[in-house]
Amino acid sequence: MYQDISNQQKQILKKLTSKKTVLSWFRLVFLIVAVYLFYLMMYQKNETMGWWAFLALLLFIIAVNVYLKLQTKISYHKTLQKINDDEIDFLKGAKTFDEGNEFLNPQHAYSYDLDLFGKNSIFQFINRTGTSLGKKQLAKDLQTIPTEDVIKLRQEAVQELTQQFDFRQQFQTLALLADTSEKEDNAIEQWTKSKSDNPNKLIQVAVILVPVLFLLSLLASIFNWHPLASKFTLFFFSFNLLIAGFMTQFIMKEIGKGDKIANSLQQYAKMIKLFEVTSFQSKYLQEKQNQLKNNNKTATEIVDELANLFEKLNTIANLFIFIAFNGTFQYHFWVHKKLLMWKQKHQAHLWQWIKIIGEIESLNSLANFAYNNPEYQYPTVSKNVISFENLGHPLLSKEKRVRNDIDFSNQSFVILTGSNMSGKSTFLRTVGINLVLSYVGAPVDTTKAVICSLPLWVSMRLTDSLSDSESFFFAEVKRLKQIVTEAQSEPIFVLLDEILKGTNSDDKKTGTVGVIEKLHQFDVKGMIATHDLEVCNTVDKYPETMINKRFEVEIINDELHFDYQLKEGVCQNKNATFIMKKMEII
């Protein structure tokens, strides 16, 4: 599909580029002809040549407008081709997307430990957003635990968008063309919350009275009604400009609050329109469409109207328009007045409408992920069960990926053992990442899965903090304290990897057993990986709720062999000494 669309866009671009070349020549010819005919009119004093010059100039303006529209069309099809080329390269392993490094947060319950952001992260793997809004929304969705009902609604929406291939590609193209930054989005948000200043009553009367007096004096001057009419015309024209200069402070306040947002709003209006006119069956997407309704006008029309008002206000910087339009009829005052009326009617809704764009972009990214992985399955959502069959890590190569079953239904807490490099940490992340994908409504790499909405807490990748004079050990203890505190207040799911590494072996064993037993008191589901085989004896105390699982390593022909297959019981084999001897360290 991606290759077909890319080839199709190449053909379209070839035709459009040919038209662009022809139009470029037409523009040049019409301009030269207009200048030449104008020259003949002046030189020969031939009025007919002047009319022909005017016609040539008119054709030049038309050619320029058509050229600009064609340029916009070419940009659209170039972007659409790039989207499909990028997907082809991505599937070949030759393309990466935005890493989302700005969302790295060591304090988050699970995102930092599961490497959701950064190089080779799940965010980089999934992200297909084009706007700052969409990018932030996707990051937020990946770090939020929704209710079971919301998960079901999101699943339904992602499934529908997966089939809406054309909509997704068009929406992504418009998002990339919008190319908005966080600065522009913040400017829009701040503008929607700001209050506007009105000029005083005297100015509001003057902007009506003075243009009327200017018009009357102009008519008097044209028809010679009064010998001083031309002087009055100049006076009232100048007075109009003086008033316009005073109005500039109010106009610049509005432009300053919405700096460079006219183009962003125009692009957002196109995205909203595409979403509004597309028919959806899923309840979640229909609810989002209903949020865009406003009396008799569509959100598209309202946002587009605002974009046009900002664009008109921005012409205050054009000296010709400022003098000609304000000197005659106070053009910018009336645009400013319309802007304030718009703000009074729609200010409360604007930012909510624009945020919907980010939500759809986030869902689009997940639908693209689902489309690229048709073999993935949507988990069944339950109230208290988490289980996976043939679970794999979505970031690992499909050829090298090893899948395992894991069930937290009856024996809800797993103690995982295994030698170095046997796959313990990878499996913890496999469970964690697939849970996160399940929560956002995406399919996961499994043949069958059941999940429930439990807050996820992970302790795998803690670091020490020099700025806070905090050791690795203390950072880990703080995280464990957070986990225990959360477990006291609500059911949670935990993934712990070799905790208490910063202390001696006996202290570590005692502490680890203590943490496990504390979590057991609060019926916590989850898994802990450990090298300490004595910790596994805890299962003997709580056989109904705990179970030992292991990854084994074998030495075959003097080489280590890992099968990464999860087995029941406690790990029997070790490899650290063997590796050190192999590398001639000992």
Side-chain angles (χ1 to χ4, degrees), residues 150-388:
V150 172
I151 294 172
K152 290 176 184 177
L153 289 172
R154 290 182 63 88
Q155 281 184 347
E156 186 183 19
V158 171
Q159 284 177 297
E160 182 170 17
L161 285 171
T162 303
Q163 303 306 316
Q164 293 266 21
F165 188 87
D166 290 340
F167 168 81
R168 285 193 291 106
Q169 293 234 317
Q170 289 179 58
F171 201 83
Q172 188 180 352
T173 301
L174 292 173
L176 289 169
L177 288 170
D179 192 28
T180 58
S181 66
E182 188 173 1
K183 179 183 176 184
E184 289 155 355
D185 288 335
N186 287 340
I188 296 173
E189 184 178 10
Q190 290 304 313
W191 184 82
T192 61
K193 296 175 181 177
S194 65
K195 293 183 179 180
S196 297
D197 296 329
N198 272 310
N200 58 45
K201 294 290 184 182
L202 184 63
I203 294 297
Q204 293 183 49
V205 172
V207 294
I208 298 173
L209 182 62
V210 176
V212 171
L213 293 173
F214 167 77
L215 180 61
L216 291 173
S217 63
L218 181 64
L219 290 171
S221 178
I222 293 172
F223 295 107
N224 293 316
W225 292 345
H226 194 281
L228 296 177
S230 59
K231 291 184 178 179
F232 278 115
T233 302
L234 182 61
F235 171 76
F236 289 125
F237 184 84
S238 301
F239 200 6
N240 268 331
L241 289 179
L242 184 65
I243 296 170
F246 180 79
M247 275 299 302
T248 301
Q249 61 180 309
F250 298 99
I251 293 168
M252 292 308 294
K253 281 181 181 179
E254 296 303 323
I255 295 176
K257 292 169 188 171
D259 185 32
K260 297 179 182 178
I261 65 174
N263 180 64
S264 300
L265 287 169
Q266 285 172 337
Q267 292 300 323
Y268 285 156
K270 291 178 183 178
M271 296 171 76
I272 290 172
K273 182 178 181 180
L274 177 61
F275 181 60
E276 277 183 323
V277 301
T278 304
S279 176
F280 295 107
Q281 302 302 314
S282 64
K283 186 178 177 181
Y284 191 87
L285 295 175
Q286 287 181 345
E287 284 178 355
K288 294 300 171 186
Q289 285 182 318
N290 289 333
Q291 290 173 22
L292 294 171
K293 293 179 180 177
N294 185 269
N295 298 327
N296 297 324
K297 277 190 173 183
T298 65
T300 303
E301 292 171 329
I302 295 169
V303 176
D304 211 20
E305 183 184 347
L306 177 62
N308 291 333
L309 288 171
F310 267 113
E311 200 167 29
K312 289 173 181 176
L313 274 186
N314 281 327
T315 60
I316 198 169
N318 186 311
L319 192 60
F320 172 78
I321 292 177
F322 182 86
I323 294 173
F325 286 25
N326 291 320
T328 54
F329 64 95
Q330 294 294 338
Y331 171 74
H332 286 105
F333 170 83
W334 297 110
V335 175
H336 179 261
K337 187 177 179 66
K338 283 188 72 175
L339 181 68
L340 296 191
M341 290 172 63
W342 187 102
K343 200 171 185 179
Q344 189 176 7
K345 286 182 182 178
H346 309 298
Q347 183 177 15
H349 303 101
L350 177 63
W351 187 243
Q352 296 305 316
W353 292 339
I354 289 176
K355 284 203 299 184
I356 289 173
I357 291 171
E359 293 179 51
I360 303 307
E361 272 205 278
S362 176
L363 290 170
N364 254 4
S365 291
L366 298 172
N368 188 82
F369 169 75
Y371 183 84
N372 285 346
N373 298 280
E375 72 278 14
Y376 286 11
Q377 300 297 314
Y378 289 88
T380 300
V381 182
S382 74
K383 285 294 181 184
N384 196 39
V385 177
I386 293 179
S387 67
F388 298 96

Side-chain angles (χ1 to χ4, degrees), residues 12 50-51 87 119 138 141 218 283 304 365 376 380 421 424 464 468-469 480 497 528 578:
I12 293 171
W51 287 108
E87 289 298 336
K119 191 174 181 180
L138 178 59
D141 289 340
L218 181 64
K283 186 178 177 181
D304 211 20
S365 291
Y376 286 11
T380 300
M421 304 184 298
K424 298 190 305 300
D464 55 356
D468 296 333
S469 301
L480 292 174
D497 188 19
I528 183 171
F578 173 81

Side-chain angles (χ1 to χ4, degrees), residues 72-81 170 173-174 177:
T72 301
K73 205 171 182 180
I74 287 171
S75 296
Y76 178 88
H77 288 284
K78 274 186 176 178
T79 306
L80 185 53
Q81 182 193 339
Q170 289 179 58
T173 301
L174 292 173
L177 288 170

